[in-house]
Amino acid sequence: MTTCAEVIAFAMRRARVIEPSSSPTTEEEADGMIVLQDLYSSWVANGIFGPLTQVYKTEDYTAKEGERVTTTGSPTITVPDVYTDNDVLDTPRTPYDLSVVQVADTVADTVNTYIYDRTQWVDIEGLVKTDNAPLEGFGVGGLGACLAFELGEFFGSSASPGLIRARNRFIGALRTTSGRACHVEPTENTDYA
């Protein structure tokens, strides 16, 4: 497993923000963490993991894959580790890989984005540098290339053609996998309760 800090260091070297034999400073690492979290959030916002169905809840609720749950009154929104599909004889299953649930609390003015990465939900906004980097299982080099591209923009360096190719391959793999795995079909476009 590769930590967020390791991906950030790799990406900074690849983007030529730091020397190949160097490690990022604490400040550079903190900037890298912000850019990494923004990268995941932008993939969700741009539909890499599929579209999100808008759901409005004022009571406790168990979120379904592919939902953006907006709440008022701060009810408890649960992101379960097991779902039961009614059309498959109530057989429990784990969430589909690369599923997304987003919870926006309008009272607390917070948004939490969860991505199901292989075996667990990962709260993107709650990531710290010592956590395993979400999606690193699809290739640390590709994830690092995506981050290097963004860091290059952030720190003012240009991306090489090889970096752009690695980034595009990684994003293509995410799109392909999420297209196969995240086949959740919402019954309604918007749900109020």
Side-chain angles (χ1 to χ4, degrees), residues 70-192:
T70 301
T71 68
T72 56
S74 298
T76 300
I77 307 301
T78 304
V79 183
D81 292 324
V82 176
Y83 285 101
T84 301
D85 289 333
N86 292 330
D87 60 339
V88 190
L89 303 173
D90 293 329
T91 304
R93 64 165 176 82
T94 58
Y96 295 120
D97 202 21
L98 301 184
S99 294
V100 172
V101 170
Q102 196 170 64
V103 180
D105 187 330
T106 59
V107 173
D109 195 27
T110 60
V111 175
N112 288 82
T113 305
Y114 303 90
I115 298 175
Y116 196 80
D117 184 26
R118 293 173 292 186
T119 60
Q120 64 185 350
W121 289 104
V122 179
D123 179 0
I124 299 306
E125 287 79 14
L127 281 176
V128 295
K129 66 182 183 178
T130 56
D131 288 338
N132 290 332
L135 311 180
E136 57 90 21
F138 287 88
V140 174
L143 178 59
C146 292
L147 183 57
F149 182 85
E150 298 299 323
L151 287 169
E153 294 283 316
F154 185 80
F155 286 103
S157 64
S158 60
S160 69
L163 177 68
I164 293 170
R165 280 192 304 276
R167 172 184 175 262
N168 292 342
R169 280 193 306 268
F170 185 82
I171 291 172
L174 289 182
R175 284 185 195 274
T176 301
T177 301
S178 65
R180 278 184 281 165
C182 299
H183 56 277
V184 179
E185 296 289 334
T187 55
E188 297 179 23
N189 201 17
T190 305
D191 183 19
Y192 298 89

Side-chain angles (χ1 to χ4, degrees), residues 11-34:
M12 286 191 168
R13 290 182 195 108
R14 182 128 193 218
R16 296 183 299 271
V17 172
I18 61 175
E19 294 298 318
S21 59
S22 300
S23 295
T25 65
T26 303
E27 186 176 287
E28 288 169 335
E29 195 171 62
D31 288 341
M33 193 67 203
I34 291 168

